[in-house]
Amino acid sequence: MNLTKTKLLFSLILINFTFLGATYADTSVAWTISSNTTWNTAWSPYLVTSSITVNAWVTLTIDPWVVVKIANSQFINSMWTISAVWNSGNRITFTSIDDDSIWWTSAWSDSVANKWDWNYIKSNNNTNLYLDYVDVKYSWASTASIYIYWWTNSYVKNSNITDWATKWIYTQYWSNSIIDNNNISNHNDNWLQIFWVTWSTYSNNTISNNSWRWIRNDSTNWASIDNNTITNNTSWWVYSVAYTDTLLSFTNNNITWNGQAVYLTDLEWLLAANNNTITWNTEQVYYAYSFSISSTSGSINDDTLEIVTNWSANLPVWKTLTIEPWTLIKVKPGWRLEILWTLNAIWTAGNRIVFTSFNDNSVGSALGSWTPDKGDWSQMKASSNSNIKLDYVDLKYGGSSIASVYIYSAPNSYVKNSNITDWSTRWIYTQYWSNVIIDNNNISNHSSDWLEIFWVTWSTYSNNTISNNSW
């Protein structure tokens, strides 16, 4: 064999050895990263065989095309910075060590990859987590698979997050986070939980085929939730379970073909809602568990908005609630709305607002029994020195021991151009110096007085049509 042939054979052997080495590098990593480190393709895939902590003042950088395969129940914990940021043609993957669909690892893979395989990626107090063009799958954790915790400026963008057994991301305690343009699918729990979060943005995400809630909100301040597409999920899209101070915006979301739509415990989400498309959901509603404004005035101003509420509501002093056209409020038994400052439901003949029984399936979603009845819900009350202003409103199937609309020492209130039908008690009770106007209403099918006036001055009752009442 001459020298040229020898060199060629050696080169071919070296190329083959290099190819095999790149394919089966299987670099095991564990425990602690104590100095700035870069994971690169030459040593990929990285096998996290025991949980990793990135120490304080240390940055872990992950290069494009790197695959990180994580062993059962293990996690990656950042005490400073993890950066996995690239572009659409250069993605990074976090997956189960049993995931043989990418970089088969014969020494470790002992079963089929599935949800519950590995634990989480966590960004701790005053640390940062940057994920951009990342694929993350087959994780679980009791808290969350991606946990952004306390005073961080983290983000997750342009990523595919699939096949998780728990909530996908948990942003907690003043986490100034950006969650943008991700594809989130096939989860068993909330894809996002927000807890005491401020100044964060959740936008342009596509959320589909998950089996539980999209957002679970606990005490959110100054967050924006905009331009998301939510489809084919089986349960609540938004599930708000605690106090929300101020939601900056809740707009332009496309919510279709889900189970229930939105479950709320306070009114702030509704005040921020505008221009959302909500169609073809099993329960086409915003569901207000209780109904109050905690810190700010505002408007319910989403088009074709449907609210179902089953608890009494309180509109506190100095707070104004404006209900805009085409809003439908379906009320469960016993509900009452008490106004301590101002309620405005004022529109025109072609833009009506409706308050009716939960069982009234003639409008909105078919949620109730199909047999609405007088007295299904209780009343609206304008308390001392407050205002209630109703114009072009339909009110039906209410009733209480005092009155369905109770204006109590509430000057300058009015009810005009409205249809008030099917009540089990007097329709309106005006009491104590209430300078009110009751004008051009249609009042029919009541079981008691349609109007009681008690110690009232300077009020006007005119142009009303009162018919087919029983008392």
Side-chain angles (χ1 to χ4, degrees):
M1 180 181 296
N2 60 36
L3 182 60
T4 300
K5 289 182 178 179
T6 301
K7 288 181 178 180
L8 178 60
L9 180 60
F10 178 78
S11 297
L12 289 173
I13 293 171
L14 180 61
I15 290 170
N16 189 50
F17 176 79
T18 302
F19 173 77
L20 291 173
T23 304
Y24 300 105
D26 285 9
T27 303
S28 294
V29 288
W31 307 116
T32 300
I33 296 177
S34 56
S35 61
N36 291 341
T37 300
T38 298
W39 290 352
N40 57 48
T41 52
W43 297 95
S44 180
Y46 288 83
L47 308 182
V48 179
T49 56
S50 293
S51 296
I52 285 177
T53 295
V54 179
N55 277 356
W57 313 109
V58 171
T59 297
L60 170 62
T61 302
I62 303 175
D63 281 352
W65 293 109
V66 165
V67 174
V68 181
K69 306 186 79 171
I70 304 170
N72 289 355
S73 302
Q74 305 308 307
F75 58 81
I76 300 175
N77 187 32
S78 173
M79 303 303 294
W80 192 244
T81 299
I82 295 176
S83 179
V85 181
W86 297 102
N87 56 49
S88 58
N90 298 278
R91 304 188 73 88
I92 296 163
T93 301
F94 293 85
T95 189
S96 165
I97 206 165
D98 294 326
D99 182 5
D100 291 339
S101 68
I102 182 170
W103 290 92
W104 181 60
T105 50
S106 58
W108 291 95
S109 180
D110 59 4
S111 63
V112 176
N114 56 56
K115 305 172 186 180
W116 305 282
D117 273 1
W118 58 281
N119 209 320
Y120 59 77
I121 303 171
K122 182 178 181 181
S123 174
N124 279 282
N125 188 10
N126 288 307
T127 67
N128 298 290
L129 176 65
Y130 305 129
L131 303 179
D132 199 355
Y133 291 100
V134 170
D135 297 333
V136 189
K137 52 186 176 177
Y138 299 124
S139 173
W140 71 277
S142 58
T143 303
S145 297
I146 295 178
Y147 188 4
I148 298 175
Y149 177 79
W150 202 286
W151 289 115
T152 73
N153 294 298
S154 298
Y155 60 76
V156 182
K157 300 189 292 186
N158 305 302
S159 295
N160 295 316
I161 322 299
T162 62
D163 299 288
W164 293 61
T166 183
K167 55 186 73 76
W168 166 57
I169 192 165
Y170 190 178
T171 52
Q172 182 176 13
Y173 296 139
W174 299 283
S175 300
N176 184 14
S177 305
I178 299 172
I179 311 299
D180 180 72
N181 200 38
N182 301 289
N183 173 39
I184 300 102
S185 64
N186 201 24
H187 295 278
N188 287 359
D189 202 339
N190 320 313
W191 90 263
L192 171 65
Q193 182 160 347
I194 308 170
F195 184 81
W196 280 95
V197 170
T198 60
W199 302 108
S200 293
T201 301
Y202 311 89
S203 58
N204 305 303
N205 300 286
T206 299
I207 303 98
S208 62
N209 300 303
N210 301 291
S211 61
W212 217 24
R213 306 156 184 148
W214 175 53
I215 294 177
R216 177 185 171 99
N217 165 62
D218 296 85
S219 307
T220 299
N221 303 311
W222 304 103
S224 299
I225 301 172
D226 306 311
N227 300 300
N228 299 285
T229 298
I230 305 95
T231 186
N232 290 309
N233 302 289
T234 59
S235 189
W236 298 104
W237 173 59
V238 171
Y239 187 84
S240 175
V241 297
Y243 169 81
T244 301
D245 187 9
T246 301
L247 192 67
L248 287 181
S249 62
F250 179 42
T251 63
N252 299 308
N253 298 289
N254 184 16
I255 309 163
T256 59
W257 298 106
N258 301 286
Q260 301 91 341
V262 181
Y263 181 101
L264 305 175
T265 57
D266 58 53
L267 196 54
E268 302 299 336
W269 288 76
L270 294 183
L271 300 183
N274 192 31
N275 201 35
N276 297 291
T277 300
I278 307 171
T279 58
W280 301 107
N281 301 286
T282 302
E283 293 190 17
Q284 180 82 357
V285 300
Y286 287 87
Y287 187 94
Y289 179 71
S290 67
F291 199 93
S292 62
I293 292 181
S294 53
S295 64
T296 182
S297 299
S299 297
I300 298 178
N301 59 0
D302 206 1
D303 294 340
T304 63
L305 181 62
E306 181 177 345
I307 305 168
V308 175
T309 182
N310 67 347
W311 271 35
S312 293
N314 182 22
L315 187 62
V317 176
W318 312 114
K319 305 300 185 287
T320 297
L321 171 62
T322 300
I323 303 176
E324 296 197 1
W326 295 108
T327 299
L328 168 62
I329 299 179
K330 302 183 80 169
V331 184
K332 285 193 170 182
W335 181 84
R336 182 183 72 146
L337 174 61
E338 181 165 0
I339 311 302
L340 299 179
W341 195 244
T342 300
L343 171 67
N344 294 323
I346 307 168
W347 297 104
T348 63
N351 298 278
R352 304 190 72 89
I353 297 164
V354 177
F355 290 82
T356 189
S357 166
F358 176 81
N359 294 318
D360 182 7
N361 294 336
S362 67
V363 288
S365 301
L367 302 175
S369 67
W370 293 91
T371 56
D373 199 5
K374 300 173 185 179
D376 274 359
W377 59 284
S378 182
Q379 67 175 186
M380 292 184 191
K381 180 181 178 181
S383 291
S384 181
N385 294 311
S386 66
N387 293 282
I388 186 169
K389 298 176 180 179
L390 307 178
D391 200 354
Y392 291 101
V393 172
D394 295 337
L395 296 155
K396 51 187 176 177
Y397 300 119
S400 77
S401 59
I402 297 176
S404 298
V405 178
Y406 184 9
I407 300 175
Y408 176 83
S409 194
N412 303 309
S413 294
Y414 60 77
V415 183
K416 300 189 292 186
N417 304 303
S418 296
N419 295 316
I420 297 79
T421 62
D422 299 287
W423 291 69
S424 64
T425 183
R426 60 182 69 87
W427 167 59
I428 192 165
Y429 189 179
T430 54
Q431 182 178 13
Y432 295 140
W433 301 283
S434 300
N435 183 14
V436 299
I437 299 173
I438 310 298
D439 180 70
N440 200 37
N441 300 290
N442 172 40
I443 301 103
S444 64
N445 202 24
H446 293 278
S447 299
S448 187
D449 319 311
W450 85 266
L451 170 65
E452 182 165 342
I453 306 170
F454 184 82
W455 277 94
V456 171
T457 60
W458 302 107
S459 294
T460 302
Y461 308 89
S462 59
N463 304 304
N464 301 285
T465 301
I466 303 101
S467 62
N468 299 306
N469 300 291
S470 62
W471 215 32

